[in-house]
Amino acid sequence: MIKIALIGSGNVAQHLIKAFDKSEFIELIQVFARKKETLENLFDSDKIITDFSELKEADLYIISVTDGAINEVSRQFSFQNKLVVHTSGTSSIEILDNKNHRGVFYPLQTFSKNKTVDFSVIPICLEAENQNDYTLLETVANHISDAVFKINSEQRKALHVSAVFVSNFANHLYQIGNEICKEHQVPFEILKPLIEETADKIKILSPGEAQTGPAIRNDSGTIEAHLEYLTDDNQKNIYKILTQSIQNNGKKL
Amino acid sequence: MIKIALIGSGNVAQHLIKAFDKSEFIELIQVFARKKETLENLFDSDKIITDFSELKEADLYIISVTDGAINEVSRQFSFQNKLVVHTSGTSSIEILDNKNHRGVFYPLQTFSKNKTVDFSVIPICLEAENQNDYTLLETVANHISDAVFKINSEQRKALHVSAVFVSNFANHLYQIGNEICKEHQVPFEILKPLIEETADKIKILSPGEAQTGPAIRNDSGTIEAHLEYLTDDNQKNIYKILTQSIQNNGKKL
């Protein structure tokens, strides 16, 4: 059994708790939360700690807190020479205090409360300072996911920025679609198969090949009609900039 | 059997040919294409016509051409008082010549060559000038799809603009993600489960509830790091504008 202590109670931490819970090879011995209540429906209350001094001996300490707090948390540990990792897409491995072995355990997924995810398909990006530590992280990751990647801090940054575009920003476009539908009393439901197919296409076509719509067709009549139809300046602006970007990209291909 | 003649050979027309081909209740009697070769792998060559004068008697004529050509095509028909529809999301029903009964048969989906789609889940938005015509369109639509909606020209415009945001623009964000990955030698594959989950979330959460990432968290450290990391001015600009839009939206909620 690999013993893990987890620090954090946010979305990523909560999904990790559930994933570790399913594995017979991983024992989550403790979880640190600032407020015990946050995790009480999810984890054995006796093992939720609110003070770092209560942390017990583990094979791996996973810090899953906001980027701004990672360094501070890593410095509060009283032990040394243990393996400590964070789960952040943006932060370098070096943000961790070097009194312990450092590493990164970054599950690349969008986690929301009230939406379960199948952890086995979530890519986990790993980084460590030496081979032994990497092997331990790999063993843990392989127990909860079928998609484990060795990714250094520089590559992880690229992935995280890309993830913001393909996920956070894409979701915001869904929200704009939802707003336009609401404004004109059309059920947003009608767009859901389209959203699904757009994401599904990427599995077999490159995004360049998959691009459709008035921008790539240079259909200026439709583009003008859409801009006239939109009433919100922010929506108009986003429409213009993304249309232009698609058209410039089309020229580059 | 309902007899249909189809005018057009683009993506929508080609997917309609395949969908009608599967139905035992619909007979596609002819397809008009400017170039016969375009459809020769898809449809009986003898029934592909290149001259409107060859059009035979049908219950329904479907015009699936670019928006700019719909009116002209509808005026070239020599017959009158038949049911003629277009498949466009943007064009009004009134763009069709009124010597025939007019209607709209708009399948709301993104069609690409080399990617088959399951037509049964594609929403088909219908409009007609009278109940008889509507019933015929509904019968045809029900034979190829399980999601048929009565949508007027004004509502259809809202759907089409929304579709551009949630599909064409979302796909362009996938392309930007792909470019960033390429630039930093990271496989774009790693992002595919994230793209899928982001689309999947929308089935059970509203886009507002599903929003995650540095913008909605007001995580200015990460936002600044990302902007510094991006080397392309266009990417930077899109990042800024969508971040701001998410943050303004967050305030409205």
Side-chain angles (χ1 to χ4, degrees), chain B residues 66-81:
Chain B
T66 53
D67 288 279
I70 295 172
N71 177 261
E72 198 200 322
V73 167
S74 74
R75 286 194 291 141
Q76 288 195 38
F77 294 159
S78 53
F79 49 82
Q80 288 182 32
N81 296 319

Side-chain angles (χ1 to χ4, degrees), chain B residues 149-215:
Chain B
F149 296 87
K150 191 172 192 170
I151 295 288
N152 65 35
S153 289
E154 216 30 45
Q155 291 175 309
R156 199 172 55 253
K157 264 190 210 166
L159 276 175
H160 193 253
V161 179
S162 301
V164 169
F165 279 92
V166 305
S167 175
N168 306 152
F169 291 168
N171 182 74
H172 184 57
L173 298 179
Y174 304 160
Q175 189 168 6
I176 292 176
N178 192 12
E179 282 168 14
I180 297 169
C181 284
K182 257 192 198 160
E183 191 186 336
H184 298 277
Q185 278 99 45
V186 194
F188 181 59
E189 295 301 313
I190 304 184
L191 289 167
K192 292 187 179 177
L194 175 66
I195 288 174
E196 199 178 340
E197 171 67 12
T198 304
D200 203 52
K201 264 190 185 179
I202 297 305
K203 291 185 197 158
I204 64 157
L205 301 175
S206 74
E209 292 167 328
Q211 189 65 57
T212 57

Side-chain angles (χ1 to χ4, degrees), chain A residues 11 66-67 90 108-118 121-123 125 149 151 154-181 184-215 217 219 222 225-226 229-230 232 234-243 245-246 248-250 252-253, chain B residues 11 66-67 90 108-118 121-123 125 149 151 154-181 184-215 217 219 222 225-226 229-230 232 234-246 248-250 252-253:
Chain A
N11 277 335
T66 53
D67 288 278
T90 353
L108 202 166
Q109 191 49 279
T110 166
F111 297 103
S112 291
K113 287 191 181 98
N114 310 320
K115 169 80 170 76
T116 52
V117 288
D118 174 7
V121 299
I122 296 180
C125 304
F149 296 87
I151 294 289
E154 214 33 43
Q155 291 175 309
R156 198 173 55 255
K157 264 190 209 166
L159 276 174
H160 193 252
V161 179
S162 300
V164 169
F165 280 92
V166 305
S167 175
N168 306 153
F169 290 167
N171 182 75
H172 184 58
L173 298 179
Y174 304 160
Q175 189 168 5
I176 292 176
N178 192 11
E179 281 168 14
I180 297 169
C181 283
H184 298 277
Q185 279 99 46
V186 194
F188 181 59
E189 295 302 312
I190 305 185
L191 289 168
K192 292 187 179 177
L194 176 65
I195 288 174
E196 200 179 340
E197 171 67 12
T198 304
D200 203 52
K201 265 190 185 179
I202 297 305
K203 290 184 197 157
I204 63 155
L205 301 176
S206 75
E209 291 167 328
Q211 189 66 57
T212 58
R217 285 200 311 271
D219 178 351
T222 299
H226 283 175
Y229 189 77
L230 290 169
D232 181 284
N234 179 47
Q235 290 171 1
K236 264 188 218 273
N237 190 29
I238 292 172
Y239 189 101
K240 275 185 209 163
I241 282 157
L242 291 176
T243 293
S245 180
I246 290 171
N248 290 341
N249 238 300
K252 275 190 270 172
L253 294 176
Chain B
N11 278 335
T66 53
D67 288 279
T90 355
L108 202 165
Q109 189 50 278
T110 166
F111 297 103
S112 290
K113 285 189 182 101
N114 310 321
K115 169 79 170 78
T116 53
V117 289
D118 174 8
V121 299
I122 296 179
C125 304
F149 296 87
I151 295 288
E154 216 30 45
Q155 291 175 309
R156 199 172 55 253
K157 264 190 210 166
L159 276 175
H160 193 253
V161 179
S162 301
V164 169
F165 279 92
V166 305
S167 175
N168 306 152
F169 291 168
N171 182 74
H172 184 57
L173 298 179
Y174 304 160
Q175 189 168 6
I176 292 176
N178 192 12
E179 282 168 14
I180 297 169
C181 284
H184 298 277
Q185 278 99 45
V186 194
F188 181 59
E189 295 301 313
I190 304 184
L191 289 167
K192 292 187 179 177
L194 175 66
I195 288 174
E196 199 178 340
E197 171 67 12
T198 304
D200 203 52
K201 264 190 185 179
I202 297 305
K203 291 185 197 158
I204 64 157
L205 301 175
S206 74
E209 292 167 328
Q211 189 65 57
T212 57
R217 285 201 310 271
D219 177 351
T222 299
H226 282 175
Y229 189 77
L230 290 169
D232 180 285
N234 179 48
Q235 290 171 1
K236 265 187 217 275
N237 190 29
I238 292 171
Y239 190 102
K240 274 185 208 163
I241 282 158
L242 291 176
T243 292
Q244 189 123 51
S245 180
I246 290 171
N248 290 340
N249 237 301
K252 275 191 269 171
L253 295 176

